[in-house]
Amino acid sequence: MAPARQRAVELEEREDGRVFYHEVRVGNKRVLRNQMQGGLGSPGALSHAYVQHPPLRCDIPDIRGLFYDDANKFLVAPTADRILYWKIAPSAPSGPPNSDPVNEGPVLSVRFSLDQKAIGIQRSSHEVEFRNRETGEACSKKCRADSETILGFFWTDCPTCDVITIKTSGLDLLVYEPQSNALRLVESKKFNVTWYLYTHESRLLLLASGMQCTLFTGYQFSAGGIVKLPKFEMMMSKCEANNKPVLAAADVHIVTVYGRIYCLQLDRVNMALNLYRFYRDAVVQQATLPTYSSRIAVSAVDNLIMVHQIDAKVVILYDVFMDSYTPISAPLPLLVRGLPSNSRQAAQTADHQSSAYGGTLYGEGWNFLIPDLICDADNGLLWKLHLDLESIAASTSDAPSILEFLQRRKYDLSTVKTLSLAIIRTIILERRPINLVAKAMDVILDSYSRLMKMGGSAAGARRTSEQNDQSSGQPVEGSRVVSQEPPSGTMNRPVLHTDSAIEVECRPEDGITNLAAHVDRTFLNASSDSEDIASTSRAPSQATSGATSKRPQVLGEDSRPLASGASMQHGTHVASVTISPFEMFQSVFLLVEDEMMGDPAYLIVVIMEFLRSMSKAGLKAPPNLYVMLTTLLARSNRYAEIALFVSNKILEPSRELAMQLVELGRQHSMTRKLGVDMLRERCLHHDYVAVLLQEGYYLEALRYARKYKVITVQPALFLEKAVAKDSARNVAAVLSFFSELMPSFKTTSDYGRYQHVLSEMV
């Protein structure tokens, strides 16, 4: 291996005062610079969530409100005779809005059809107008003004209908016929409705009724058909014995995280969110999330539930993966990133931030659109919520837990991968206990193994070397719930982007499970017997929420996920933040090797644990990792362990390893023999002959070349060795051999030159 590379340390003082290390190049060498913000568990994070300045500005004169069409991802602003709209996905536009002419009149809501060929406009509580965008013709759906009211409508991809209108008397399922510019009633469902909630992403419609609006009927309208959910009741706490509070629509939210549909109901008395999950034959109150306030808003960002405390102006993050219902961090304020300010003053107060962008954080005009948008109606602004993954990662010292958390993220992939690699480097350089490092590596390799079993569609996986062959398997969903759909229509509230990849444990137990036992751990500064650090993301919640919160031990046969129309059409989308073994070698082991050259014993054990983890996950290590391990062992004069690892196939045979063993054999003859034997066993004839020549055994190399017809080694190398022995007989034998093996050899300059040398020797 190469000698210690030149080192460089370069610090960048961030605006928030934390130190941020990078990876730089010195000459043509890569040098490690710590990328963690002050290391794992460093205090001082300003925020875990932020909005990016500048926002989308839609403060156009004469607009009559702002509406969000979540199915098409349109922000809609009607004027007296036009509909203005911005396409906000995948990113907010920078140019002027598009527009469509419409008839004058009041506008209560606007929704584009799923194919965007028609517009639905609710004109009043008794009329919805549908306008063909190509012809400009319009038709209307009206209800009886004396007995019922239209609460709203939405477009659907259900095969039996195109539009569903929600009335106080029930549902109307309609087919829109653009050719005749008419609506045809397919079916009416009669029941009392006080208010409703619908998200196109989940295709789930909840209808509230009863004196307290706590009785719910649910339908899922998807490309697979219509599924009716069982009726259920939401529980509300009473502040007084005779007081019966009424549940408001603003206190109920539908969110989709990790492919599961949840309903969140705010209990203002208990200051908590009741969490419901949907099954085909049951709706189960699964847990309770504390909110510590009765005035909140809810968002869903990258599969995290984000609870905004409006009065305190802070954000609480919940990660319900593995049924954990405790906050993942302390409440911290929402920041506005990108504001023009003094670069040395990042920790701005809410008042400073508000004055900088011209609005008020958590102002009265803020409307939180699920999943991750905030519409500031007073100032005509649209914000998008983001996670500060760096701050979240720096807020805990539990490396396996934060790595699991990062591996579940689906957005900002480059940041996730960079942070994950930096965390692993940090815990190695800090010489954390070996069992903690082993858990961290298990997390990384299990995630990569699952990706390979799902088809290996990650870009990172495609960059791996040919040595990174993986075993295959099939992931299984851990719990059976109502599934989600990606957006393609209209609705009242948006929902989280749909990445339906279900994450499960997949841990094959075969392989070299006790690999690290071969290493003498007495060399280590940190003992592997240190206390295990439990992964908080895997700890089950102890939260309870009454009798209804207890999940049934056995659900009925129909307790399975509702089929998601989009998932049936498009399949599962795999967004990858996984790290391959090759990337681990390139971005971790190569970089930490030079930092730990003074005492390689710890790094040896780390590499052994990495090999054990790869064997457990059914993966193969890059050959250069075995080369590094062999070099570290030789540097510590542990040649006996090298022989043990080679004989037990712990060091997987390869050309790279064999050549390294030959190189190390200059100081230890038995190690050289291991390398030579490995070349011969793997039928690496060219390299084997070259090694024999290098050691001066040219006659043995000649016999081997004749036996296996090795014609890739230059004849001049053999002839030089024969001439050096000053033996005309040997020179003649070599010339004769290559003349027979390679008839074209007689026409080369080497043949003529050495024929002349032979004649002089005779």
Side-chain angles (χ1 to χ4, degrees):
M1 298 292 290
R5 301 181 180 91
Q6 182 180 357
R7 302 179 188 176
V9 178
E10 199 172 315
L11 308 182
E12 173 190 339
E13 189 171 351
R14 293 168 59 99
E15 292 181 354
D16 53 18
R18 287 172 288 182
V19 175
F20 195 76
Y21 299 88
H22 294 284
E23 200 176 279
V24 296
R25 286 186 176 270
V26 179
N28 60 348
K29 303 293 186 180
R30 287 193 301 177
V31 180
L32 177 62
R33 293 162 62 190
N34 194 353
Q35 293 175 336
M36 294 300 298
Q37 299 175 6
L40 284 173
S42 60
L46 296 176
S47 176
H48 293 158
Y50 65 93
V51 292
Q52 185 67 46
H53 189 275
L56 172 64
R57 292 197 170 272
C58 42
D59 51 345
I60 298 176
D62 301 326
I63 63 172
R64 301 180 176 181
L66 293 171
F67 304 93
Y68 183 60
D69 176 357
D70 73 312
N72 295 288
K73 302 299 180 185
F74 287 169
L75 183 67
V76 183
T79 63
D81 58 352
R82 303 194 72 81
I83 294 291
L84 309 179
Y85 63 96
W86 294 262
K87 177 72 173 178
I88 64 170
S91 60
S94 56
N98 301 304
S99 67
D100 272 23
V102 295
N103 298 327
E104 292 189 12
V107 177
L108 302 185
S109 66
V110 180
R111 305 180 187 281
F112 287 73
S113 63
L114 303 190
D115 59 8
Q116 301 178 12
K117 294 182 178 180
I119 306 177
I121 306 171
Q122 185 172 351
R123 293 295 189 179
S124 68
S125 59
H126 305 289
E127 179 184 3
V128 179
E129 175 186 315
F130 297 90
R131 184 180 183 86
N132 189 314
R133 297 181 68 190
E134 296 177 353
T135 64
E137 298 179 348
C139 61
S140 297
K141 167 65 178 177
K142 298 181 180 181
C143 69
R144 294 174 297 179
D146 57 340
S147 61
E148 58 186 6
T149 299
I150 296 178
L151 299 175
F153 74 99
F154 60 87
W155 299 86
T156 176
D157 56 0
C158 183
T160 58
C161 57
D162 300 316
V163 182
I164 296 173
T165 59
I166 303 97
K167 304 182 295 183
T168 53
S169 60
L171 302 178
D172 282 348
L173 279 62
L174 307 169
V175 171
Y176 176 66
E177 298 175 341
Q179 296 82 4
S180 58
N181 193 37
L183 294 165
R184 176 169 55 86
L185 179 65
V186 175
E187 182 183 359
S188 289
K189 298 180 182 292
K190 298 296 183 181
F191 37 73
N192 293 328
V193 180
T194 305
W195 52 263
Y196 80 100
L197 192 64
Y198 175 77
T199 67
H200 179 79
E201 182 182 29
S202 65
R203 310 299 204 268
L204 184 63
L205 172 66
L206 294 181
L207 305 164
S209 61
M211 295 292 294
Q212 297 177 261
C213 298
T214 57
L215 298 176
F216 284 86
T217 302
Y219 291 90
Q220 189 182 47
F221 297 93
S222 69
I226 303 174
V227 176
K228 182 179 180 181
L229 301 179
K231 292 184 178 181
F232 65 100
E233 183 176 3
M234 292 185 181
M235 307 304 295
M236 295 186 66
S237 301
K238 298 179 181 179
C239 57
E240 299 177 4
N242 297 325
N243 183 27
K244 293 184 177 181
V246 177
L247 182 61
D251 292 340
V252 182
H253 313 272
I254 298 175
V255 298
T256 312
V257 292
Y258 297 113
R260 310 166 186 169
I261 299 174
Y262 291 94
C263 181
L264 303 177
Q265 172 228 338
L266 175 62
D267 188 334
R268 293 182 179 270
V269 175
N270 287 337
M271 291 188 293
L273 280 172
N274 295 324
L275 187 70
Y276 297 84
R277 280 183 74 178
F278 297 96
Y279 300 79
R280 280 181 175 264
D281 64 348
V283 178
V284 179
Q285 183 179 342
Q286 193 170 52
T288 297
L289 307 180
T291 62
Y292 312 103
S293 174
S294 60
R295 188 164 176 255
I296 67 163
V298 174
S299 303
V301 181
D302 201 357
N303 287 328
L304 295 184
I305 295 175
M306 190 178 289
V307 177
H308 305 265
Q309 290 187 4
I310 304 300
D311 295 329
K313 298 184 179 180
V314 296
V315 179
I316 306 174
L317 300 179
Y318 289 97
D319 186 357
V320 298
F321 188 81
M322 298 296 292
D323 298 331
S324 178
Y325 306 112
T326 56
I328 66 173
S329 63
L332 288 175
L334 180 71
L335 292 187
V336 180
R337 292 273 184 89
L339 290 174
S341 62
N342 188 335
S343 61
R344 304 289 298 179
Q345 182 186 1
Q348 301 181 59
T349 64
D351 293 338
H352 286 147
Q353 295 188 79
S354 298
S355 61
Y357 83 85
T360 303
L361 289 178
Y362 293 107
E364 294 297 331
W366 274 31
N367 181 21
F368 290 82
L369 305 172
I370 294 178
D372 54 3
L373 298 175
I374 302 172
C375 181
D376 186 349
D378 291 346
N379 298 285
L381 304 174
L382 185 73
W383 300 95
K384 183 177 177 63
L385 288 161
H386 301 270
L387 294 175
D388 188 340
L389 296 177
E390 293 179 12
S391 295
I392 295 174
S395 64
T396 177
S397 60
D398 187 353
S401 173
I402 196 62
L403 285 172
E404 287 181 332
F405 172 83
L406 290 173
Q407 291 298 299
R408 293 196 293 269
R409 307 284 63 83
K410 300 300 180 186
Y411 308 114
D412 201 2
L413 305 186
S414 61
T415 298
V416 170
K417 183 168 289 191
T418 300
L419 279 174
S420 298
L421 291 168
I423 289 171
I424 299 173
R425 288 196 299 266
T426 299
I427 61 177
I428 294 175
L429 291 173
E430 292 179 353
R431 296 177 179 270
R432 296 288 187 90
I434 288 298
N435 62 336
L436 184 141
V437 178
K439 288 180 182 179
M441 291 177 174
D442 285 342
V443 170
I444 294 297
L445 294 177
D446 285 348
S447 178
Y448 181 77
S449 178
R450 284 197 299 269
L451 177 69
M452 293 300 98
K453 293 170 184 178
M454 295 168 64
S457 63
R462 300 183 185 204
R463 296 198 304 268
T464 59
S465 65
E466 62 180 358
Q467 294 83 11
N468 293 331
D469 299 325
Q470 287 77 24
S471 61
S472 297
Q474 183 63 36
V476 183
E477 182 175 353
S479 56
R480 300 176 295 176
V481 296
V482 177
S483 60
Q484 70 172 31
E485 294 184 300
S488 61
T490 37
M491 74 175 207
N492 274 349
R493 302 185 184 203
V495 202
L496 180 64
H497 298 285
T498 53
D499 286 326
S500 301
I502 305 300
E503 311 222 11
V504 299
E505 285 295 319
C506 184
R507 298 175 177 270
E509 297 299 333
D510 54 346
I512 314 171
T513 56
N514 296 318
L515 188 61
H518 293 286
V519 180
D520 185 359
R521 296 178 184 270
T522 59
F523 284 89
L524 302 182
N525 295 332
S527 170
S528 63
D529 296 330
S530 300
E531 180 181 359
D532 290 352
I533 298 179
S535 173
T536 56
S537 66
R538 297 183 182 275
S541 172
Q542 302 299 324
T544 57
S545 53
T548 57
S549 67
K550 304 297 184 182
R551 179 169 174 172
Q553 294 296 322
V554 179
L555 296 177
E557 292 183 358
D558 287 334
S559 293
R560 59 183 184 274
L562 294 180
S564 171
S567 62
M568 289 190 297
Q569 295 171 10
H570 306 295
T572 301
H573 170 65
V574 180
S576 173
V577 294
T578 58
I579 298 171
S580 70
F582 183 74
E583 289 172 311
M584 282 286 290
F585 174 76
Q586 289 268 352
S587 301
V588 176
F589 293 111
L590 275 182
L591 297 178
V592 302
E593 180 189 12
D594 291 341
E595 303 291 327
M596 310 185 74
M597 286 187 64
D599 182 14
Y602 180 85
L603 184 56
I604 289 173
V605 181
V606 169
I607 295 176
M608 296 297 290
E609 287 293 343
F610 183 67
L611 295 177
R612 175 203 57 78
S613 184
M614 279 193 298
S615 176
K616 182 180 177 182
L619 303 173
K620 289 186 179 181
N624 285 333
L625 184 62
Y626 295 117
V627 173
M628 177 184 290
L629 177 58
T630 304
T631 304
L632 293 172
L633 289 170
R635 192 177 296 160
S636 303
N637 292 319
R638 296 162 67 174
Y639 292 101
E641 291 177 58
I642 294 177
L644 177 64
F645 293 167
V646 171
S647 61
N648 290 335
K649 304 298 183 183
I650 294 173
L651 296 175
E652 186 172 334
S654 66
R655 179 186 180 276
E656 293 85 350
L657 178 60
M659 298 304 293
Q660 182 66 13
L661 292 172
V662 170
E663 179 69 18
L664 295 174
R666 295 179 178 180
Q667 287 78 35
H668 194 268
S669 59
M670 291 302 298
T671 301
R672 175 194 173 277
K673 184 177 184 303
L674 290 173
V676 173
D677 291 344
M678 187 179 293
L679 289 174
R680 186 176 63 252
E681 290 170 1
R682 293 187 63 82
C683 299
L684 298 170
H685 303 310
H686 174 88
D687 295 303
Y688 182 74
V689 170
V691 169
L692 291 178
L693 281 173
Q694 184 181 1
E695 299 296 330
Y697 301 106
Y698 73 97
L699 291 179
E700 182 181 346
L702 195 64
R703 286 191 291 269
Y704 188 90
R706 179 173 58 187
K707 180 178 179 180
Y708 293 101
K709 296 182 173 53
V710 182
I711 61 175
T712 55
V713 181
Q714 296 179 3
L717 298 177
F718 290 87
L719 292 166
E720 287 175 4
K721 297 293 183 180
V723 171
K725 293 292 184 179
D726 196 20
S727 171
R729 180 179 177 183
N730 289 349
V731 174
V734 173
L735 285 172
S736 175
F737 168 76
F738 280 106
S739 298
E740 294 177 4
L741 185 64
M742 304 166 57
S744 60
F745 175 63
K746 289 185 177 183
T747 62
T748 64
S749 59
D750 286 340
Y751 178 82
R753 180 157 55 94
Y754 283 99
Q755 189 69 37
H756 178 70
V757 171
L758 177 60
S759 63
E760 291 182 348
M761 294 176 67
V762 173

